[in-house]
């Protein structure tokens, strides 16, 4: 089996991931950076970004001058090659099964998801400090969702002295939040909570907030979108009612690309020994 790596698409953190792997293996890339060789022939390992796609049928390639279709995988993959992807979809699973490729979701590795959560929470705090006209100490903060990112962010915000409420549908997630001494509420309480919050942070990959929720928020309050849900009218609602909107999807790739990229490389190489 060819032990070369081909990176398809990605952002700045994938450049660092490719560079880290290039220290040990031969690496080529398409739609990423001209510092790597252009692809030739077939490759034993194909690496897709995190997330691997933001639009059906296309690889997530913000640095590419042209669209990269998922079909490039089969064009360059050797027989039985490993396809490393940040997340999976039904379409990607079917493509790999049809062509006999081994699909590996590197983002499913617990070590990577925890590191990513820490970087996301750290960067979110930095953006909140930059985009609020008051101290985080004493601020009333709502965080929707009770996953790794939500709880990591809640911990950091409490270190700044913020009053944090974790708002989650899952009773177990609410219980975990309470064991860490955060307030916890069901999502059904969201309309009432919005009216009290100085800062609202969404970590749930779903549309939770209505126009009425934004109308109820304090003028000058901050709404941060960490989950990157699209399409969404939240930015429009925020502008309409004087709420400061922060699009914070993919923060590790924007603010901590080197650390995030090297963590991705470690996750991939842990499988590819």
């Amino acid at each position: 089996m060819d032990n070369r790596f081909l990176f398809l698409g990605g952002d700045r953190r994938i450049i660092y991931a490719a560079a880290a792997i290039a220290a040990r293996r031969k690496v080529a890339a398409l739609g990423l950076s001209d510092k790597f060789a252009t692809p030739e022939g077939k490759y034993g390992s194909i690496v897709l970004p995190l997330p691997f796609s933001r639009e059906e049928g296309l690889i997530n390639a913000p640095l590419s001058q042209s669209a990269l279709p998922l079909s490039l995988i089969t064009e360059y993959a050797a027989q039985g090659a490993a396809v490393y992807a940040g997340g999976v979809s039904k379409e990607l699973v079917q493509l790999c099964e049809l062509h006999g490729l081994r699909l590996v979701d590197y983002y499913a590795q617990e070590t990577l998801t925890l590191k990513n959560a820490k970087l996301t929470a750290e960067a979110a705090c930095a953006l909140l400090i930059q985009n609020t006209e008051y101290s985080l100490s004493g601020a009333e903060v709502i965080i929707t969702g009770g996953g790794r990112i939500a709880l990591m962010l809640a911990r950091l915000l409490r270190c700044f002295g913020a009053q944090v409420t974790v708002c989650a549908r899952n009773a177990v997630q609410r219980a975990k939040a309470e064991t860490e001494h955060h307030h916890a509420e069901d999502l059904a309480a969201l309309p009432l909570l919005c009216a009290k919050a100085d800062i609202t942070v969404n970590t749930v990959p779903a549309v939770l907030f209505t126009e009425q929720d934004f109308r109820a928020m304090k003028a000058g309050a901050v709404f941060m979108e960490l989950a990157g849900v699209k399409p969404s009218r939240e930015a429009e609602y925020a502008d309409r009612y004087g709420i400061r909107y922060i699009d914070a999807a993919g923060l590790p790739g924007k603010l901590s690309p080197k650390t995030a990229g090297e963590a991705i490389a470690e996750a991939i190489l842990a499988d590819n020994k």
Side-chain angles (χ1 to χ4, degrees), residues 25-239:
R25 309 284 183 84
K26 290 185 178 180
V27 168
L30 189 63
L32 183 61
S33 170
D34 57 11
K35 69 183 291 185
F36 304 107
T38 54
E40 292 182 357
K42 302 288 186 177
Y43 292 79
S45 298
I46 306 291
V47 181
L48 305 181
L50 174 65
F52 80 91
S53 177
R54 292 191 183 277
E55 186 176 345
E56 187 174 353
L58 296 178
I59 296 169
N60 177 23
L63 303 180
S64 177
Q65 295 182 352
S66 58
L68 301 183
L70 280 175
S71 59
L72 284 172
I73 297 171
T74 57
E75 181 179 339
Y76 288 108
Q79 185 176 4
V83 177
Y84 296 96
V88 298
S89 69
K90 183 178 180 180
E91 180 183 17
L92 183 59
V93 169
Q94 290 177 340
L95 183 148
C96 290
E97 288 180 347
L98 180 62
H99 295 275
L101 305 175
R102 184 172 70 92
L103 178 58
V104 180
D105 179 3
Y106 59 77
Y107 191 54
Q109 286 196 24
E110 185 71 8
T111 53
L112 178 58
T113 54
L114 287 173
K115 289 176 182 178
N116 188 74
K118 181 179 179 181
L119 293 174
T120 300
E122 178 185 290
C125 286
L127 282 182
L128 288 172
I129 291 170
Q130 292 173 356
N131 287 278
T132 53
E133 296 180 352
Y134 43 83
S135 172
L136 293 181
S137 178
E140 291 284 345
V141 183
I142 297 171
I143 302 175
T144 56
R148 298 176 185 86
I149 291 174
L151 292 182
M152 190 73 72
L153 178 58
R155 291 170 202 148
L156 288 182
L157 287 170
R158 284 199 61 199
C159 290
F160 283 104
Q163 303 299 311
V164 179
T165 298
V166 174
C167 195
R169 181 176 289 112
N170 186 293
V172 174
Q173 290 180 333
R174 295 197 301 272
K176 286 182 178 179
E178 288 174 342
T179 61
E180 296 189 14
H181 307 291
H182 309 306
H183 299 296
E185 296 284 353
D186 190 274
L187 280 176
L190 197 55
L192 293 176
L193 295 172
C194 285
K196 301 177 182 179
D198 300 302
I199 298 168
T200 300
V201 182
N202 179 49
T203 72
V204 180
V207 178
L208 301 180
F209 295 86
T210 66
E211 182 174 2
Q212 289 71 28
D213 293 329
F214 278 89
R215 183 187 292 120
M217 293 178 188
K218 301 176 182 179
V222 172
F223 182 91
M224 172 177 278
E225 177 58 68
L226 278 177
V229 179
K230 294 179 181 180
S232 172
R233 299 185 67 184
E234 292 167 344
E236 176 187 333
Y237 295 150
D239 183 65

